[in-house]
């Protein structure tokens, strides 16, 4: 079946999971790309995300200082710690902020994200039906959606900056 090039490009899907995968491992929350957010340096977006479950407590700082993203995840998933009451309501925004800060801080991975064009980005995990595609492939893929939204925002920011540099400042 012949499919016009425009539609073929739109149908591309990029799957990622491990932080060490080239070139898309940088999409993982475990990738070693630090950033500053909320007055602190965060070693990974996983550190930030897990710590925000306990924002304003000593647990958040313990997670920020965790030896690696796996340890940060373990600490953040420990239900003996008092999870903030509004977590389910704010968790998507927390992830958006972490992903945006990470890609703003690192030009090399920003280029990788922008170079995905209009491809769908999917976290290829069989264990997480919320952040990834899940075992059945029908998960919500919220991390992939956030990455695509970040890509769209980065493009808009670049276009706005090009307009300003080119003397076409919009009001």
């Amino acid at each position: 079946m012949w499919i016009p090039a425009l539609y073929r490009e739109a149908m591309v899907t990029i799957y990622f999971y491990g932080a060490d995968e080239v070139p898309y491992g940088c999409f993982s929350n475990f990738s070693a790309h630090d950033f500053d957010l909320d007055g602190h340096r965060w070693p990974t977006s996983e550190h930030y995300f897990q710590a925000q479950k306990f924002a304003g407590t000593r647990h958040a700082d313990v997670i920020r200082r965790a030896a690696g993203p796996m340890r940060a995840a373990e600490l953040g998933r420990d239900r003996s710690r008092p999870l903030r009451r509004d977590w389910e309501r704010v968790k998507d925004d927390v992830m958006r902020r972490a992903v945006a800060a990470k890609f703003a801080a690192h030009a090399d991975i920003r280029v990788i994200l922008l170079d995905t064009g209009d491809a769908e980005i999917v976290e290829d995990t069989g264990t997480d039906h919320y952040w990834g595609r899940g075992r059945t492939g029908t998960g919500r893929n919220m991390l992939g959606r956030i990455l695509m939204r970040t890509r769209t925002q980065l493009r808009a920011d670049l276009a706005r900056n090009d307009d300003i540099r080119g003397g076409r400042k919009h009001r």
Side-chain angles (χ1 to χ4, degrees):
M1 176 169 123
W2 178 79
I3 300 173
L6 175 67
Y7 295 107
R8 280 195 308 264
E9 184 177 324
M11 291 171 37
V12 171
T13 301
I14 294 170
Y15 295 94
F16 74 96
Y17 183 68
D20 58 346
E21 296 171 0
V22 176
Y24 302 118
C26 61
F27 296 169
S28 167
N29 285 326
F30 280 43
S31 72
H33 293 93
D34 62 347
F35 55 89
D36 292 317
L37 190 57
D38 298 339
H40 295 286
R41 168 78 56 183
W42 300 92
T44 68
S45 51
E46 187 70 17
H47 283 80
Y48 180 81
F49 179 79
Q50 296 296 341
Q52 296 315 297
K53 292 177 177 179
F54 314 99
T57 72
R58 65 179 179 79
H59 302 297
D61 198 51
V62 167
I63 293 170
R64 184 177 61 82
R65 291 183 283 111
M70 181 60 79
R71 182 64 182 144
E74 290 168 357
L75 291 168
R77 293 175 183 143
D78 177 357
R79 287 300 147 251
S80 69
R81 299 169 187 269
L83 186 67
R84 63 191 274 183
R85 291 180 197 201
D86 64 347
W87 181 244
E88 287 303 313
R89 185 174 53 79
V90 302
K91 69 182 180 182
D92 290 356
D93 189 53
V94 167
M95 185 67 78
R96 277 191 284 276
R97 294 183 74 232
V99 169
K102 172 178 155 178
F103 283 90
H106 297 277
D108 57 335
I109 65 173
R110 191 166 52 246
V111 167
I112 293 169
L113 181 58
L114 289 168
D115 281 350
T116 62
D118 291 326
E120 179 181 19
I121 301 173
V122 176
E123 185 182 25
D124 192 18
T125 174
T127 58
D128 193 330
H129 289 267
Y130 187 79
W131 295 110
R133 70 188 213 123
R135 184 180 51 78
T136 63
T138 59
R140 297 207 42 206
N141 188 39
M142 290 306 293
L143 180 55
R145 291 179 186 196
I146 287 169
L147 285 160
M148 291 182 285
R149 179 177 170 176
T150 301
R151 176 180 66 195
T152 299
Q153 186 60 53
L154 289 169
R155 281 187 192 142
D157 293 347
L158 285 171
R160 192 169 25 260
N161 289 340
D162 285 348
D163 283 350
I164 290 170
R165 277 194 300 273
R168 296 178 302 274
K169 186 175 180 181
H170 292 63
R171 295 184 189 245

